[in-house]
Amino acid sequence: MINKQSNVYTIVYITVMVIVVGAALAFTSMSLKDKQLENADADKMKQILQSVHVATDRSTVVSDYGKYIVNTFVVNSLGQQIEDADAFSIDVAAEVKKPEADRALPVYECRLDNNETKYILPLSGMGLWGPIWGYVALDADGTTIYGAFFDHQGETPGLGAEITKPAFTDQFDGKHLFKDGAFQPVTVVKKGQLPTNGEDYVDGISGGTITSKGVASMLDDCLRPYRAFLESLSK
């Protein structure tokens, strides 16, 4: 019989407890994995719908997504569709690290209650403290922004985190991606200033300069590869 006061007993006891607790945590994690993925998918669907001003909640988001998103597909930088690619499952954050010519570019086709068609494009970038992301919805001609949604992982409340608020996102409605035939993504500038290249712009967040610049860079980096696709829509 092992002496409970001995070092051997202590080591065996700790080892058994680590194995038991580890097994329990692993089982719990595996049991919840499907639910976690389901919640993540539902949250993504909600964000996509928010870019076209469709209000939804947890109980109806899946059915609303199925109602409004009538088609999804993936294109390359030449505007050509990539066969057998699943737009919803593409990791946009990973794609933006690749050269434009190598990226898989998801497109969500939306049809609203008034029968208007919108095309929703995902975005991914970096703010002050971590990742930022979003979705931009465009009119059927591919030139005018219909709506925008942005979110973040850890931007400062009251400052950079304000990119999620309507006061910021609503500024994008009606902005254009083409100026005099040239592709120029909307930029974000300090309030009271003007862009240097004449592109459409919105006012940045007061006190959130770095996050605002992050949004501007994200728009430029993520939308430029869609240029050929958007030109095909306008034609």
Side-chain angles (χ1 to χ4, degrees):
M1 185 175 180
I2 299 178
N3 181 0
K4 292 184 179 181
Q5 304 301 319
S6 69
N7 291 334
V8 173
Y9 177 84
T10 301
I11 293 172
V12 171
Y13 180 82
I14 293 174
T15 301
V16 171
M17 287 301 296
V18 168
I19 293 173
V20 171
V21 172
L25 290 174
F27 175 78
T28 301
S29 177
M30 291 178 65
S31 300
L32 295 176
K33 185 176 181 180
D34 288 344
K35 189 64 176 179
Q36 292 171 338
L37 291 174
E38 180 183 322
N39 289 337
D41 287 350
D43 189 49
K44 183 174 179 177
M45 292 176 187
K46 184 177 180 180
Q47 294 178 9
I48 290 170
L49 292 176
Q50 282 183 267
S51 72
V52 286
H53 307 296
V54 172
T56 185
D57 57 38
R58 184 66 182 84
S59 63
T60 62
V61 64
V62 175
S63 59
D64 286 339
Y65 180 87
K67 172 185 176 182
Y68 291 103
I69 303 303
V70 296
N71 188 26
T72 63
F73 52 92
V74 180
V75 299
N76 57 25
S77 62
L78 299 178
Q80 303 163 334
Q81 288 197 28
I82 301 175
E83 298 296 329
D84 301 321
D86 179 18
F88 195 84
S89 65
I90 287 178
D91 184 350
V92 178
E95 292 299 317
V96 298
K97 297 176 182 179
K98 302 176 182 178
E100 287 189 15
D102 297 334
R103 295 187 197 178
L105 308 170
V107 180
Y108 300 87
E109 184 178 344
C110 172
R111 187 158 300 130
L112 300 176
D113 291 330
N114 60 8
N115 212 37
E116 289 185 357
T117 296
K118 310 297 177 185
Y119 292 97
I120 304 168
L121 312 180
L123 314 168
S124 179
M126 289 295 296
L128 173 60
W129 301 114
I132 57 176
W133 62 90
Y135 296 90
V136 169
L138 303 172
D139 286 340
D141 63 2
T143 65
T144 307
I145 294 179
Y146 176 76
F149 169 88
F150 302 109
D151 208 343
H152 63 92
Q153 179 174 292
E155 298 307 292
T156 308
L159 299 175
E162 295 295 299
I163 62 171
T164 65
K165 302 295 180 61
F168 180 71
T169 59
D170 288 353
Q171 294 183 83
F172 288 85
D173 296 5
K175 301 298 183 182
H176 299 89
L177 299 183
F178 289 86
K179 303 287 286 187
D180 299 324
F183 186 75
Q184 291 184 297
V186 178
T187 191
V188 184
V189 298
K190 187 175 182 179
K191 190 172 183 179
Q193 295 184 350
L194 296 175
T196 56
N197 297 318
E199 63 266 43
D200 277 5
Y201 67 95
V202 301
D203 291 332
I205 302 297
S206 178
T209 302
I210 295 179
T211 308
S212 297
K213 289 182 178 179
V215 173
S217 296
M218 177 173 68
L219 289 164
D220 187 78
D221 186 31
C222 293
L223 293 182
R224 282 193 181 278
Y226 286 96
R227 180 171 57 250
F229 168 70
L230 297 177
E231 288 176 339
S232 72
L233 295 179
S234 65
K235 294 176 182 177

